[in-house]
Amino acid sequence: MTTIHLTSTDLKINSVSIEFPISINTLKKCLDDNYRITKGKRNTVFTWDELGLLGYSKNGELIESLTLELERETYDFSSKNKFSGTCYFNNQEITNYYKTHKEERLALFKDDDSGALAINDICAWFNVDEEETIKAIEISTYKPYVRWLGIPDDKYSIKPLKEEEITFVDFGFKLSIIEELMYMKGLLEPKFDIYEFADWYRDRKIDIDEEGYEPIAEVVQYFKDLPIPKRLATEITDIYQDGGNDIYMNLSPFSGGGEDDWDMETAVDAKQFPNLKKATLCYAKDCVYDEFEKMGIEAESL
């Protein structure tokens, strides 16, 4: 029978001390070599059917987490038997510890209220159903959630250009140019993603679920400050505004394209784009159409 001990000093499986990531050879010594392998797009799963235990690996060699299946699942990689061994947390049976020490449960993931137990750099995360029946226990390295972890510190820092840049009079016009250069042609980097930006931003927590129905001030300011090299002006041959454009969805993802905050009020900036021949508009004042036409640029309403 498999016995797992998770304490303040270490993790032991059948009296063998374990550290994540675990080599498959180490697990073969403390468990057995009677396992099968299922390769997926993101993970390789090692399944001990008789033990009711799974090991997850990103590279197919080192195990980053272990799952004890307490209820039968129907996935190809699921174990044929439930975990029949014993798992202890601080020398107490872990399922009882989980139920009686609620003050030690940690919310490791957003919107997850099932919680976890953590000691130092190891955690036990519980898959719990509506009746609070524990279906599975995952043991892995505990890494406190940090919003900006994995995003380069300077990812969305505005850097001065070392070349001539375009000066815009009209913000709505600039947004249409950013749509073309950043999202359509991939010539303006980084490609802005509002969810990544919210994780990267450190001055305050941007709650997109709450704030995404209106333009988010920090996002608007980012695009106002974003410099555009003058050498890219010749790349623009047409402008196409649509409420579902990426630029608008990143400014206000839940507005449904109904905002008028980025209407073009003048087409004067078009003079800086020598190859611009056509503008299809849905965010523009009536006078803008006439201005385009006078410059020889075809302008029509979406």
Side-chain angles (χ1 to χ4, degrees), residues 40-134:
K41 292 182 178 180
R42 297 184 178 180
N43 291 302
T44 296
V45 183
F46 296 82
T47 304
W48 281 263
D49 285 303
E50 297 302 318
L51 303 178
L53 194 148
L54 310 177
Y56 289 86
S57 172
K58 292 179 181 178
N59 63 9
E61 298 178 0
L62 297 175
I63 309 296
E64 285 91 14
S65 67
L66 297 171
T67 296
L68 319 180
E69 294 203 308
L70 304 182
E71 296 289 336
R72 286 291 310 280
E73 296 287 356
T74 58
Y75 302 109
D76 291 341
F77 56 80
S78 299
S79 61
K80 293 181 171 58
N81 295 301
K82 296 191 292 185
F83 179 73
S84 58
T86 308
C87 184
Y88 297 94
F89 186 88
N90 271 351
N91 295 318
Q92 296 184 44
E93 205 282 321
I94 195 168
T95 55
N96 292 332
Y97 193 104
Y98 170 81
K99 294 175 182 177
T100 58
H101 291 70
K102 292 184 178 181
E103 72 278 2
E104 295 186 29
R105 291 158 67 167
L106 304 175
L108 300 183
F109 307 102
K110 185 178 180 182
D111 300 325
D112 170 58
D113 58 3
S114 62
L117 302 173
I119 292 182
N120 295 332
D121 61 349
I122 299 293
C123 79
W125 178 78
F126 296 79
N127 182 352
V128 182
D129 62 20
E130 294 179 357
E131 287 75 33
E132 289 209 9
T133 299
I134 301 173

Side-chain angles (χ1 to χ4, degrees), residues 6-211:
L6 175 58
T7 72
S8 59
T9 56
D10 65 3
L11 168 66
K12 289 183 178 180
I13 301 178
N14 293 335
S15 300
V16 177
S17 292
I18 298 295
E19 291 184 1
F20 288 105
I22 312 167
S23 72
I24 186 61
N25 288 331
T26 299
L27 284 180
K28 284 164 62 175
K29 291 177 182 178
C30 61
L31 295 172
D32 58 47
D33 58 2
N34 186 23
Y35 60 85
R36 57 187 172 89
I37 300 174
T38 305
K39 293 186 177 181
K41 292 182 178 180
R42 297 184 178 180
N43 291 302
T44 296
V45 183
F46 296 82
T47 304
W48 281 263
D49 285 303
E50 297 302 318
L51 303 178
L53 194 148
L54 310 177
Y56 289 86
S57 172
K58 292 179 181 178
N59 63 9
E61 298 178 0
L62 297 175
I63 309 296
E64 285 91 14
S65 67
L66 297 171
T67 296
L68 319 180
E69 294 203 308
L70 304 182
E71 296 289 336
R72 286 291 310 280
E73 296 287 356
T74 58
Y75 302 109
D76 291 341
F77 56 80
S78 299
S79 61
K80 293 181 171 58
N81 295 301
K82 296 191 292 185
F83 179 73
S84 58
T86 308
C87 184
Y88 297 94
F89 186 88
N90 271 351
N91 295 318
Q92 296 184 44
E93 205 282 321
I94 195 168
T95 55
N96 292 332
Y97 193 104
Y98 170 81
K99 294 175 182 177
T100 58
H101 291 70
K102 292 184 178 181
E103 72 278 2
E104 295 186 29
R105 291 158 67 167
L106 304 175
L108 300 183
F109 307 102
K110 185 178 180 182
D111 300 325
D112 170 58
D113 58 3
S114 62
L117 302 173
I119 292 182
N120 295 332
D121 61 349
I122 299 293
C123 79
W125 178 78
F126 296 79
N127 182 352
V128 182
D129 62 20
E130 294 179 357
E131 287 75 33
E132 289 209 9
T133 299
I134 301 173
K135 300 171 64 179
I137 301 171
E138 178 185 328
I139 300 174
S140 62
T141 300
Y142 170 55
K143 295 181 180 179
Y145 173 68
V146 179
R147 276 191 293 115
W148 49 82
L149 190 65
I151 304 173
D153 290 345
D154 62 348
K155 179 70 179 281
Y156 292 104
S157 298
I158 300 294
K159 306 173 185 67
L161 289 183
K162 297 181 180 179
E163 58 183 298
E164 193 173 0
E165 65 182 77
I166 301 170
T167 300
F168 289 89
V169 172
D170 188 271
F171 182 54
F173 192 101
K174 182 180 182 181
L175 291 177
S176 294
I177 297 300
I178 292 173
E179 170 70 18
E180 293 298 320
L181 293 177
M182 180 179 289
Y183 295 106
M184 300 303 294
K185 295 179 178 290
L187 297 174
L188 199 58
E189 294 183 335
K191 183 177 289 187
F192 186 92
D193 180 276
I194 189 171
Y195 292 94
E196 184 182 57
F197 178 84
D199 285 339
W200 170 86
Y201 194 76
R202 301 190 187 188
D203 289 353
R204 72 175 183 92
K205 181 179 179 181
I206 298 175
D207 189 336
I208 297 175
D209 291 339
E210 292 291 331
E211 304 175 47

